Every structure is written in structure tokens, then in C-alpha cells.
Amino acid sequence: MSRRVKAESKQQVAYINEVISALKDDPRKLDIIRKNLDFYREQSFLKRGFLLAIERFDWVFEASNGVDEVCAQIIADDYIGKRLRRYPLLYKGVINRT
């Protein structure tokens, strides 16, 4: 059985690039992601994929709290990076949109 690979849209890529830039400009914004993880972890009815993304982010933060390492993992072209990019709600509040 082959799995369908969903390409990331230009919009998704642009958003993640803005998130990475905001995190590198102000590493304290990693706390926003941590708060989002805590918030969504408490929700009763999340899809399994979203729960896996939260778990993978926990792994990333356990491995390293440095902003450069976290950003590198978010943009990595591997299973974890793709999982972290799939759920933009995890980054809610990182970018100040007006």
C-alpha cells in the first residue's frame, strides 16, 4: 500500500518561514509554542495526527531548547519536521499579524 504524499502549499511554506524568522528574532517566543502545546494537550477531542505532532514537539524540546536547533527541526525534511509543519495552530501567536 502506497501513501499519498501531500505537497506543502506556498502559503504553508511562507507561514513556516515567517514563524522561523520570528523565533530567531525573539527566542522567547518558544514559550508561546510551549503554551500552545499545553493548551492543545488538554483538549479532549483532537485528531491522532495532531496528538502525534504535540508528542513530536515534546521530543524536540526535550532534545534541545536552543532556538536554532528547534528551528532546524521544524524545517527539516524528515518525518518529524513534516509532522511539526502540518499543524499551524501550534504556532498561533508567534507571528504578530495586524
Side-chain angles (χ1 to χ4, degrees), residues 29-92:
K29 290 189 176 193
L30 288 174
D31 289 335
I32 295 172
I33 296 174
R34 286 186 188 94
K35 288 176 186 172
N36 289 341
L37 294 173
D38 290 340
F39 174 78
Y40 289 113
R41 195 178 287 112
E42 297 298 319
Q43 303 304 306
S44 301
F45 302 102
L46 289 179
K47 290 185 175 185
R48 185 172 181 271
F50 201 116
L51 291 171
L52 282 172
I54 291 170
E55 184 179 297
R56 299 309 182 261
F57 237 129
D58 289 340
W59 291 0
V60 169
F61 281 129
E62 282 181 32
S64 173
N65 278 327
V67 71
D68 291 328
E69 292 87 0
V70 171
C71 289
Q73 188 57 66
I74 293 170
I75 60 174
D77 193 28
D78 60 9
Y79 171 78
I80 293 175
K82 290 176 185 175
R83 176 70 55 187
L84 299 182
R85 292 190 302 272
R86 188 174 298 163
Y87 299 96
L89 282 175
L90 296 174
Y91 308 103
K92 183 178 180 181

Side-chain angles (χ1 to χ4, degrees), residues 9 16 19-20 27 44 58 62 81 97:
S9 72
I16 291 299
V19 167
I20 297 298
S44 301
D58 289 340
E62 282 181 32
R97 300 224 172 178

Side-chain angles (χ1 to χ4, degrees), residues 3-17:
R3 295 190 142 212
R4 184 178 67 133
V5 177
K6 183 179 175 186
E8 293 176 345
S9 72
K10 290 179 184 177
Q11 223 175 9
Q12 284 174 307
V13 172
Y15 180 75
I16 291 299
N17 287 337

